[in-house]
Amino acid sequence: MVIDLHCHSLHSDGTDTAGNLALLGAEARLTALCLTDHDTLGGIPDFLAMQPTVPVRLLVGTELSCHFLGRSLHVLGLLVDPADAGFQARLAELRGRREDRNRRMAARLAELGCPVTLEEVQAQADTPLLSRVHFAKALAAKGFVRRATEAFERLIGDDCPGFVPREELNPTEAARWIREAGGVPVVAHPGRFGGSGTFRWDEAMAELQRQGLEGLEGYYGEFRASEQKYFLALAARLGMVVTGGSDYHGGNKPGLRLGRGRGGLHVPDDLLERLEAQQRRGTYR
Ligand code: AMP
Ligand code: MN
Ligand code: MN
Ligand code: MN
């Protein structure tokens, strides 16, 4: 029995409708699936509307970008309450910051000799929430790169000259927002976050736990077996809850399958009970 607690619809940077993800979850024989679009719960109504027709528990989440030790760290807000107006307002603020960043990134790309307008980027997206995935497609469509992956290698990857960071949350703030919305804050894909160089994940994770992060994604669609082993052991040592997911983005991240990742992913469903126990242990409500 497997679950998948991390995936994206076309409400952020995936290519499937939220409703289709529910169907894919059923096809993959998942017992639970959590939709975790970046900075939005926009896909959640369509996703939850599929609940009567699929034998998969459909769960609510989102993925927020934080700034931590000079890098970009992603935090999953799992099991948040989609009716929480305060949380919705906070997400809207994050989307505003993203729009500012996008304007500045378009200007920066023009300076680098690769002008793309926000209209051209929007033409690559089915959502108003534009991310670098859509910039990459626009850069390819205009012939500045041969394909979208090359845009990340040369222009808009985290260490590239055309990348403009967003004003990001700090982990403490993200954890508090998620907790106040009834969810559990979880470190997404540890070991896979922006920036190069060596990094002491054991120390960093202990600090993140002090800042309010309660779980870590110990199973991940792109982890090597050694990474999974390391992070599962670290979670056990620190007493953090373990989650797992594919980070499926449809055609925007080729080769990844819902519930399966690159093929070796298998997230055991008993993790969900522990996640829900952690949610009930919440201190804010
Ligand atoms: P943004 O939130 O606009 O900064 O865009 C971040 C998104 O771009 C991530 O969620 C990924 O979907 C994608 N992304 C970031 N870095 C890469 C990369 N090196 N290769 C492919 N996709 C990437
Ligand atoms: Mn993404
Ligand atoms: Mn992420
Ligand atoms: Mn993700």
Side-chain angles (χ1 to χ4, degrees), residues 165-184:
R166 275 178 279 162
E167 187 197 326
E168 288 177 328
L169 295 168
N170 59 57
T172 312
E173 210 174 1
R176 188 168 51 82
W177 286 13
I178 291 163
R179 254 301 163 197
E180 287 178 353
V184 182

Side-chain angles (χ1 to χ4, degrees), residues 6 8 38 63 74 188-189 220 247:
H6 189 165
H8 299 267
H38 300 278
E63 182 173 18
H74 289 181
H189 42 73
Y220 184 62
D247 208 4

Side-chain angles (χ1 to χ4, degrees), residues 250 253-257 261-263:
K253 239 184 176 190
L256 276 180
R257 286 170 60 204
R262 298 237 176 259

Side-chain angles (χ1 to χ4, degrees), residues 6-8 12-14 36-38 63 74 98 131-133 189 220 247-249 252-253:
H6 189 165
C7 68
H8 299 267
S12 66
D13 54 352
T36 54
D37 277 314
H38 300 278
E63 182 173 18
H74 289 181
R98 173 185 285 278
S131 74
R132 278 185 281 161
V133 165
H189 42 73
Y220 184 62
D247 208 4
Y248 176 80
H249 284 64
N252 282 341
K253 239 184 176 190

Side-chain angles (χ1 to χ4, degrees), residues 53-281:
T53 53
V54 293
V56 184
R57 274 189 67 198
L58 301 176
L59 305 169
V60 178
T62 184
E63 182 173 18
L64 308 181
S65 302
C66 296
H67 200 69
F68 180 63
L69 301 178
R71 300 169 183 231
S72 180
L73 174 90
H74 289 181
V75 171
L76 294 169
L78 300 179
L79 312 180
V80 289
D81 175 4
D84 189 305
F87 190 62
Q88 288 281 8
R90 286 167 161 172
L91 293 178
E93 183 194 325
L94 294 180
R95 293 194 294 272
R97 293 188 203 177
R98 173 185 285 278
E99 285 167 13
D100 286 345
R101 186 287 301 263
N102 288 347
R103 272 190 287 278
R104 285 184 284 126
M105 200 153 72
R108 180 88 195 104
L109 287 166
E111 283 168 17
L112 292 169
C114 302
V116 286
T117 65
L118 289 180
E119 290 69 33
E120 287 164 339
V121 178
Q122 184 65 66
Q124 303 295 331
D126 292 302
T127 167
L129 189 146
L130 300 180
S131 74
R132 278 185 281 161
V133 165
H134 309 115
F135 273 85
K137 287 181 161 179
L139 287 161
K142 291 198 77 181
F144 295 126
V145 291
R146 273 172 307 229
R147 57 191 91 75
T149 49
E150 192 187 323
F152 281 104
E153 286 156 22
R154 291 206 297 111
L155 288 167
I156 56 170
D158 287 358
D159 300 314
C160 293
F163 173 59
V164 176
R166 275 178 279 162
E167 187 197 326
E168 288 177 328
L169 295 168
N170 59 57
T172 312
E173 210 174 1
R176 188 168 51 82
W177 286 13
I178 291 163
R179 254 301 163 197
E180 287 178 353
V184 182
V186 171
V187 178
H189 42 73
R192 298 294 180 97
F193 82 134
S196 47
T198 53
F199 195 80
R200 285 293 302 263
W201 264 106
D202 50 350
E203 290 169 8
M205 196 61 77
E207 175 57 25
L208 287 166
Q209 187 181 30
R210 280 190 289 276
Q211 294 193 21
L213 276 297
E214 299 172 30
L216 66 82
E217 197 169 38
Y219 298 87
Y220 184 62
E222 298 191 301
F223 268 174
R224 292 184 294 272
S226 58
E227 288 173 286
Q228 178 175 307
K229 189 169 166 221
Y230 176 82
F231 285 109
L232 292 180
L234 185 58
R237 188 150 63 75
L238 294 173
M240 292 175 81
V241 60
V242 172
T243 73
S246 60
D247 208 4
Y248 176 80
H249 284 64
N252 282 341
K253 239 184 176 190
L256 276 180
R257 286 170 60 204
L258 207 62
R260 309 278 155 80
R262 298 237 176 259
L265 185 70
H266 186 104
V267 186
D269 67 353
D270 61 327
L271 295 185
L272 184 54
E273 283 157 46
R274 285 184 227 152
L275 181 66
E276 289 177 310
Q278 183 70 26
Q279 180 190 30
R280 288 191 292 273
R281 220 172 281 145

